[in-house]
Structure formats: C-alpha cells, structure tokens
Amino acid sequence: MDVRLTSEQQQLRDAAAKLADDLGPGSVADLDDGVRAARLEKAVDATGFRTLRSDGASGVEVAIVAEEFARGLVDVPFLAPVLADDLKHRLGRDTAAAAEDPESVDLTGALAGVVESPAELAELTEDDAGRWRALALTVTCADLVGAARGTHALACEYAKMREQYGATIGSYQAVGHLLAESLALIEGSISVSRHAAWAVDELSPQEAIEAARIAKIYCARAALTVCETSIQVHGGIGNTWECLAHIYLRRVLAATETWPVKLEELTIGLS
C-alpha cells in the first residue's frame, strides 16, 4: 500500500476542504443559519461528491472527502447519499436507500438515528455486501479522524491567543504536551483509517471488513480523547454552548454509534 495521495486525490481533498471552510459553520450560531445551510447543500450536491462511487472513485477518495467534511463540520448529509450511491451502483438500479432520511446521518446536527443496513444488501453477492459494509465502516472512521483534526486545530488556535499570567497558555509545557499527545493520536488514526479505506477495494471483503473494524475501534477511542483534550485546553469556555468544541464531540459520539464495533467481533488475536 502506498500511503501517499496522488495529485488527483490531493486536488479532491483541497476541493472538499475549501467547500467546508467556505460554507461550514464557523460558530455554534451558524448552525441555525438556514441561508448558509442551503448554500452548503446546493454546493455539495453540485460537486458530485455524493456520487463518487458510481463515478469510479476509490474508498480512499470517499474517505478523503468524509474526513475534510467532518473537519469543517459540514452539516448536510454526505454519508448516507454516498453509501446509497455505492449500493445503487452495485445493484445497477435505484434503491430505497437513496431515499433514506438524510437527517439520520447529519453527524453535526443530531445524535439520534443510527444508520441501519439497507434491506437491498440481501440482493447483493456476499462479496459486494461485504465491500459495502467495509465502506460504511470506513467512512465513519474518516468522519472521526476529520472531527479530531478539527477540534485539535480549534484547541491549538485557542492556545495561541488565550493568555494567563502574562503568557499564552500554549507556551506552558502542560498544555503543549496535551496537544502533542492529541496530534500523535490523530496521526495514528489517519494511518489506520487510510489503510481501511484502501482495503475496501484492494483486499478481500473479509479482510476489508476486519481492517475497517480495527480502524473504527482505534479512531473512535482516539477521537474521543482528542475532543476531551480540546475541551480541557479551552478551560471554562470549553464547557459553554458557544464553544465549537462540544459540536465536534457530538459529531464524534454520533460517528462512534453509527455501525458500532465491539472487540469480540474482531477475528485477530488480541493480547
């Protein structure tokens, strides 16, 4: 596996990142801005990001977009439409999944509504169904990684500007260590989630599902720690409604409970 992104994948990442930065919520108040949300919905729909799989995109490329959307707290549906598109492509026709309530996977806007596997999976071959499940797990891993990156960046920016005792809090070793530990967790999450995304198309369905399950457990635990650290670095303001840190935490909790994985589901030996 070559972990480096191709030039086309870098361009895809940059396009997704720009859309998230331009139209994603920059504050908690922005979540209630219907005009912004409508512009974001129109932009996401126009880009074709939701039909990546039927357009020939790899699991890695879908994960790249999911990660950047989570980093920027993109609060319009992406996971359900892209998975419905993959299922439709495998079946060769429209599916009920395409009409699924998209709000159930607006991971910024709601904790409710864990996405269920669509009934049409029973019509697929065992291999196709396995790859769809691997992709479903993988995109939630990417969402976790993106949210962890977003809340870590938020904490770093706050540490650069918040002053106590005549110095920015980021200059204090204790805060610096917390942020460095979070970065290490993020880097590990990127590696394991990128491998899972690659495995969707390159390994057997069973191996792809196993890679995705391992990634989901690691990324969920790491992202939760990074979110908690971000709130800790923010101090008292981190526990207020106005701070975006809790929005990232909510997204991580939602992604964790979407196709949840238990340790006993893993077939590898754990010591």
Side-chain angles (χ1 to χ4, degrees), residues 122-265:
E123 301 177 38
L124 297 178
T125 65
E126 185 177 349
D127 279 3
D128 274 347
R131 293 196 187 280
W132 188 91
R133 290 190 175 96
L135 181 65
L137 284 167
T138 295
V139 292
T140 61
C141 290
D143 204 281
L144 288 163
V145 173
R149 286 177 52 210
T151 199
H152 182 259
L154 190 72
C156 287
E157 287 302 312
Y158 184 77
K160 291 176 184 177
M161 58 171 284
R162 180 70 169 95
E163 291 189 2
Q164 285 186 344
Y165 306 111
T168 58
I169 62 172
S171 66
Y172 294 119
Q173 192 175 62
V175 174
H177 282 176
L178 286 173
L179 294 173
E181 289 167 3
S182 289
L183 183 58
L185 288 173
I186 291 170
E187 290 300 323
S189 298
I190 290 172
S191 294
V192 73
S193 66
R194 193 68 55 81
H195 175 263
W198 170 83
V200 168
D201 302 307
E202 301 297 332
L203 299 183
S204 70
Q206 293 75 21
E207 290 174 310
I209 289 175
E210 189 75 356
R213 284 173 172 167
I214 293 169
K216 184 64 180 287
I217 289 174
Y218 184 96
C219 292
R221 292 180 174 181
L224 179 59
T225 299
V226 174
C227 284
E228 290 173 344
T229 298
S230 177
I231 291 173
Q232 183 179 357
V233 169
H234 278 86
I237 196 174
N239 291 292
T240 65
W241 182 257
E242 289 76 16
C243 182
L244 274 172
H246 78 88
I247 303 298
Y248 282 109
L249 175 60
R250 183 165 68 185
R251 186 155 185 148
V252 163
L253 293 172
T256 298
E257 292 302 318
T258 306
W259 294 290
V261 177
K262 300 178 181 178
L263 282 174
E264 54 265 30
E265 292 180 306

Side-chain angles (χ1 to χ4, degrees), residues 28-50:
V28 175
D30 284 346
L31 293 171
D32 294 326
D33 185 348
V35 174
R36 177 200 61 82
R39 292 177 60 206
L40 177 59
E41 167 62 32
K42 183 177 180 180
V44 171
D45 193 57
T47 57
F49 284 141
R50 289 167 172 160

